[in-house]
Amino acid sequence: MRQKNGLLKRVLVLAVLTALTNPGLCPAGNLLCDAGFEQSEPNGGFPSSGCWLKNAGGEAGCASFAARTGNNGIFQYTGFALDQLQSQVYQEFPSAAGRRYFASAWARTGFAGTSWLDGSRALLKVEFLDTGGNTLAEYTSVDIKTSETDWSRLHVATNAAPAGTFSVRYSLLIEKPQTIGQAIAGFDDCILREYECADCLNLDEIPPCPGTPGQKLKGSVVGINPDDYMVGVYLFVDDWWPKPTFAHPWTAIEANGTWQCDIATSIYDLNATEVMAFLVPKNEIAEWPVNFNSGAGLPALPLEAFRFPDAGAFRPSCFTKKIQFAGYHWLVKNSGVQSVGPGPNLFDSNNAWVDAEGLLHLKITNSENKWQCAEVFTEESLGGGTYSFAVASNVSSLDANVVLGLFTWDEFAPQYANREMDIEISRWGDTGAANAQYAIQPAAKADNLHRFNIDPCDKGVTHVLDWRFNIAGFESFYGLVPPANEAGLIDSWTYTGSDVPRPGTENARINLWLDGGKPPADGCEVEVVIRDFEVNACSYEVSPILLDFNSVLISRTATKPVTIANTGNCIPYMVTVDVNGVDAAYFHAADRAFSLEPGSSKKLDVTFTPDTNRVYEVLLEIKSHAGIVSVPLTGRGGQIEYTRVSAMGSPEYLEGRVAGLKFSDYRVVSYVYVFGKWYIKPLCMSNKSSTNPLVAINKDGAWKCNIDVELTDKAATQVASFLLPKNADYPPCTLDSLDDSRMSQYICVTADRPKLAISKITVKQGSSTGSDSIVIDGWYYITMSEALSAQQLCLSIRQQDTTLWTLCVPFNADKFLSNGSFQLDRTGVHIQLNNQYQLLNSYSGKFRLTLSKTDLTCLCSPVTVAMELGDFKESATADEALNENIINGKQNIGIKFLSGCTNALKINKLTLKRDYMTLNGAITFKNAAPDLTMEDLVVGWGSRTFVIPAGSFDKTSRTQPKYKCTKIKSAQGGVVDAYFDFKAGTFWVKIRGTKFDTTPGDTAFNIAMSGFSEGVSVKTNN
């Protein structure tokens, strides 16, 4: 009920905010109510318009001194206390999956009479929330981290809202570190605008350059009414120019959604390198932030323009020359006859090339008294990380007018200073100035520039930009590889101001150009050689690297986690998660979009729901600006496994088990591999129950197949079994390969047939030490050459890494082959080998090893027998997990042999129902067993614990350690009955009066008491 009331409350809040959103309070296209705080009283109190909400952590007030425009603005402040870390003022609106938004706000952090609290930040955040108010995805602006008296524009552009989105929240946010003090910031002129369409503006045909007069840029729009919009087109020729002309800057859209614009109305347009288009509602054109009467180009497109859908591109053929350098593809700049930035200068694509040794050459040339420069940039956007530029030339003495630039640049992000971070070698026309600098744009801003000197060096210089979250680190070293120590360090600078960009569509660039277009003072051409370039991207760590859903019930759902961690102080990219592949519909990843702060991680739940029995394979793609990390997802609807693989030569059946599906709807089909081909077993096309290859599955999931029908079957070296739907086509009688398309679609299990196998182990515990006995029966398959090479027979019994018993005796191969048997009888030892079948030059038979009057203390499963007979060196293991029916018939080796050796716990039987559970098992102690009347005993089942407090058990025998308790109410819920017989090593526990999950699977069971804490995994089945 609380959840419903919470949802109702959120719906009512959204309804009130939506009702307040009216033309009187909201500018056209702006969802925010009282966006400029002009409808609230400037009295220092919280906005009185009723539009804004706040969290419990901070406060805000309206005042005229906080206004950027108009008469009012808002100033926010955190509390002073250690735990008052945030002030959030927000508005929230109904939303849905697929919607996209643009948000902005003006902010400043410096006010008269206040001081900025170090470590604090002011920012804008947009969140997509579900019905419970949980964040599905969030987007944050660049933050302001220092005292800034000038207003800064904060921007956020979201991706499409993820599935499950119920609302969108716009927040003005201040955060401070956990310290005593107060962080204060002001905000004004806020915007939240929904894109009316996602990717609705397209550039369909872009004229190449150099162009010809009258060329048209052609495009289209989707998802909108063309009559309601116009397209604004801009062309970049050193500056941005509206097209077709200043007098006619808008392009109409045809009824069919297409549009075209003449972008070659001037001779200079023919060499323009970029185009940009904006989709603007007609009723907002009057507010378009460009003065078309000025007749002047725009150094940068106005920030306000980017609240509208946009599309931009480089013009084809402007960068027709491509080179490959240092493992990256680079485009080469060519300006034709038009001077362009930087400089402005002419740029000639012939002035950049890679030589036979893989070195990049950049050159400034003089042709017919026209100076031409060089620039290259990566075709790919490389994101955050460490950028290294190894400059082989001695650039310390470059002409004062020459600039070597090593930098990042995003042509389509003027609102973020083009994401420009520079390492520049130049004296900027002043021969007495330092010859190098690091810069974060805008470089004219205080503290955004650091100048230094590079001394002459014939070994080259390596420059490094380390771009991390809110940090840009610069270093320069003598030499072409940064040294392990800082002996070669020239200079370094770390910038932590508010202008560190977040990644976008930037690329790496290298250029050689003339400051202000002024030629070199000495009149000489200039050439610089770059030896290497490298980027070590800062990417997220993802684990596990493979997610394997081993077996899931048909139409049931299983969930497993993937953890994504930002361990490298990476910039918090927006991470999106997609499942790709033909089986994508069967897998689902929660939280499809999110960001990760440095040092944080996120656990992502992935679910798998199969609808039939087969193998499912897809890729979970975790995408960020650093690249894509792919995690293979594989799952199986149902499972098939072997419980016994009979030895070569053995007449015993192949046995297995199936789980995760309705048994009556499936059949098992088995093949053996002999003499280079796979043959179906028992017999192809047989309808007799004893030889039908379509083997039915028992109610408990068990199945068995006779694979020893013909004499040649004894020589089969491998087996394969498929799980087929009952209505599947009849399987082939033979296969050349298991990859045969007729069978590869089905789940399959394969195994090699052993040449030595255990068929039965019988153990007996004697009344005293040294009076135990063990009998091991099994099968062997040996070739004549192996037998003839033998001079002795060696047998041993091992348990894990410990050899419990071993014996080697003389062996007469000729006698063995002629008589078909071998036998040895000694005190306490009996060995017998009997050949049963002969096929070509191979023999198969039975063996028996008997040990009597021996000490089997500490014996338990698994048990391994090793046999060495000349070149025949084989071993066989009887493991209770897969071969439980061959140890003591159908009884496993009791763990009572482990008493005095180790603490051990074993479950023999489980009864699990919705309202009660009973377990029977065995238990042993390495040391003396505790007195249960004196202490607590804890029973664990899955994530639940049931405590039986001290004093609950009664001792039921005066002389034996037997204990019983009844109807003990556990503080954790449920009523517990239990019985323990420590001498016999048995126990049972019954828990009722509480609910249990009966979903089939593996569940952990454990018991803890004084000197004992052990657990086992228990299979639960309906």
Side-chain angles (χ1 to χ4, degrees), residues 89 120 175 182 195 235 255 353 436 546 656 712 759 817 828 853 863:
V89 173
S120 302
E175 296 177 343
Q182 191 173 44
Y195 288 121
L235 202 64
W353 71 95
L546 168 68
T712 54
S759 57
L817 294 176
K853 297 181 180 180
V863 175

Side-chain angles (χ1 to χ4, degrees), residues 259-374:
W259 56 269
Q260 60 181 1
C261 174
D262 186 350
I263 62 170
T265 56
S266 162
I267 187 172
Y268 301 108
D269 297 339
L270 306 183
N271 292 300
T273 56
E274 299 158 58
V275 293
M276 197 79 187
F278 297 92
L279 185 65
V280 182
K282 288 182 178 179
N283 59 7
E284 295 190 45
I285 284 178
E287 300 179 16
W288 184 249
V290 172
N291 179 9
F292 295 118
N293 295 321
S294 69
L298 304 171
L301 290 168
L303 303 178
E304 184 68 16
F306 287 87
R307 67 188 178 96
F308 300 100
D310 62 80
F314 293 109
R315 291 181 68 189
S317 303
C318 294
F319 308 98
T320 53
K321 182 176 177 179
K322 293 183 182 181
I323 58 176
Q324 188 164 355
F325 168 62
Y328 296 89
H329 295 284
W330 301 74
L331 299 173
V332 183
K333 190 170 185 176
N334 186 55
S335 65
V337 298
Q338 175 66 36
S339 293
V340 298
N345 287 284
L346 297 174
F347 285 83
D348 187 348
S349 60
N350 292 319
N351 285 3
W353 71 95
V354 177
D355 65 22
E357 296 181 4
L359 306 183
L360 172 64
H361 295 251
L362 300 177
K363 194 170 184 179
I364 298 176
T365 59
N366 184 5
S367 176
E368 298 179 356
N369 206 29
K370 292 182 179 179
W371 290 91
Q372 296 175 316
C373 303

